Amino acid sequence: MLAGAAFAVAVVLAALRVGEAPGKLSDWQALVLGIVQGATELLPVSSSGHLILVPWAAGWQYLQDHPDFNKTFDVALHLGTLVAVVIYFRNDVVRLIGAWFGSLRRRRIETDDERVAWYVAVATVPAAIAGAAGESFIEDHLGNPWQIAILMAAFAILLWLADRVAQTRAISEIGWKRAVILGLAQCLALMPGVSRSGVTITAGRFMRLDRDSAARLSFLLLIPIVFGAAVLKGVKDVALGGGLPPGSAGPFVVGMIAAAVVGLVAIWGLLGYVRRHTYSLFVVYRLSLAAAILIVIAAGWRDKNF
């Protein structure tokens, strides 16, 4: 009920055009992108790819022409999905944080919760380093629609192969080496079209985690990565950069609310779905989207770059 009310508020704000500025990203566009972010960040289909493809298909040039605004808005949308994950897994988050600090106090790891907490911490490090070091290269050389199509298809096939592996291992049993491998896998998600949740679910399934556990671990891995990025971007681009760009308050609020509400629905839907089905639906979706992108480009309806 609260989620529905929050989404209704976002729709009303967009309808009234609250806080937007003429010629800039509109509240309606922010609402659409928030819905896209919430639906795709937590499913194995690449939110970063979709956040490029939707403006590309719709002809919305503002974010492409204003990269500084785009980066800050992207963080705002990710904050929305972070809120969704923390709300849904609040009991797990509190328990794992307590377990992590407990292991620090004792200077040893004893329980399954403590192991999981440390595996998440270890898997976060490579992605954090790669994100900080490779941000400029990725912005300059990756993220064009044709590249997204190729990565969508390639990692769809990897997900399909991983999903055929037997399910024999719990999250607490992955070990330190596999935790590092998960972190390295997250680095690949910096490329739009790969999908952070998709690549971590794929890695988890290759490690013989069951489908539900692979998805849960993927969601837990999102928390430190997105929180760290939000703090870094918030300090660098907002606090030290003179505040939010003019005309951004409305789109930021609308986008964040939409991303949070739809993100909650996406988590609930995915976990319920994979308890009874394989990930093949998402494999088919990714391959179909990749084909559609290449057809659009080949037909000349949209340029291959954006």
Side-chain angles (χ1 to χ4, degrees):
M1 183 178 293
L2 288 176
F7 189 79
V9 168
V11 172
V12 170
L13 290 174
L16 297 176
R17 309 178 75 88
V18 174
E20 68 176 42
K24 298 188 176 182
L25 186 74
S26 72
D27 286 349
W28 281 116
Q29 291 171 340
L31 181 70
V32 170
L33 294 173
I35 292 171
V36 169
Q37 166 68 16
T40 59
E41 171 67 24
L42 302 163
L43 303 181
V45 295
S46 180
S47 64
S48 58
H50 280 77
L51 289 176
I52 293 171
L53 292 173
V54 169
W56 171 73
W60 300 344
Q61 287 292 133
Y62 184 79
L63 292 176
Q64 177 67 16
D65 295 339
H66 298 82
D68 291 338
F69 182 99
N70 188 15
K71 287 187 287 186
T72 310
F73 181 66
D74 183 71
V75 172
L77 294 184
H78 278 80
L79 276 175
T81 46
L82 174 63
V83 169
V85 173
V86 171
I87 289 174
Y88 193 94
F89 292 103
R90 57 191 178 278
N91 294 331
D92 294 319
V93 170
V94 170
R95 190 179 71 251
L96 291 175
I97 290 175
W100 190 77
F101 279 108
S103 68
L104 286 178
R105 285 194 300 270
R106 290 193 311 274
R107 298 185 181 180
R108 63 181 182 275
I109 300 171
E110 296 180 347
T111 69
D112 286 347
D113 282 344
E114 290 170 359
R115 291 185 186 90
V116 173
W118 275 102
Y119 294 155
V120 170
V122 168
T124 299
V125 174
I129 294 173
E135 181 182 20
S136 297
F137 176 84
I138 292 164
E139 290 174 359
D140 294 339
H141 298 92
L142 298 174
N144 286 312
W146 68 271
Q147 295 169 324
I148 293 172
I150 293 171
L151 292 171
M152 279 275 186
F155 281 86
I157 295 170
L158 280 177
L159 177 59
W160 184 83
L161 292 172
D163 207 27
R164 267 69 203 152
V165 174
Q167 308 177 91
T168 62
R169 186 173 284 122
I171 296 175
S172 60
E173 299 171 339
I174 63 173
W176 298 107
K177 183 186 295 186
R178 294 185 185 91
V180 173
I181 292 172
L182 271 171
L184 295 174
Q186 282 203 102
C187 297
L188 298 174
L190 294 170
M191 300 184 290
V194 172
S195 172
R196 191 208 57 81
S197 62
V199 77
T200 50
I201 288 172
T202 298
R205 289 293 292 117
F206 272 128
M207 294 173 188
R208 298 184 180 276
L209 293 178
D210 63 71
R211 296 183 180 97
D212 180 81
S213 295
R216 286 177 176 272
L217 180 57
S218 174
F219 297 151
L220 292 174
L221 288 169
L222 174 144
I223 295 173
I225 285 290
V226 174
F227 179 78
V231 170
L232 179 63
K233 294 280 188 180
V235 171
K236 184 176 71 173
D237 297 337
V238 179
L240 300 180
L244 292 174
S248 64
F252 275 42
V253 171
V254 169
M256 286 178 63
I257 294 174
V261 173
V262 177
L264 274 171
V265 176
I267 297 171
W268 171 80
L270 179 62
L271 292 179
Y273 180 82
V274 298
R275 291 187 188 112
R276 302 182 299 275
H277 304 88
T278 69
Y279 283 102
S280 296
L281 173 66
F282 304 104
V283 172
V284 172
Y285 173 81
R286 290 178 67 117
L287 292 174
S288 300
L289 180 59
I293 295 167
L294 295 177
I295 289 171
V296 167
I297 292 171
W301 298 330
R302 285 289 185 273
D303 191 76
K304 67 177 182 178
N305 300 317
F306 183 56

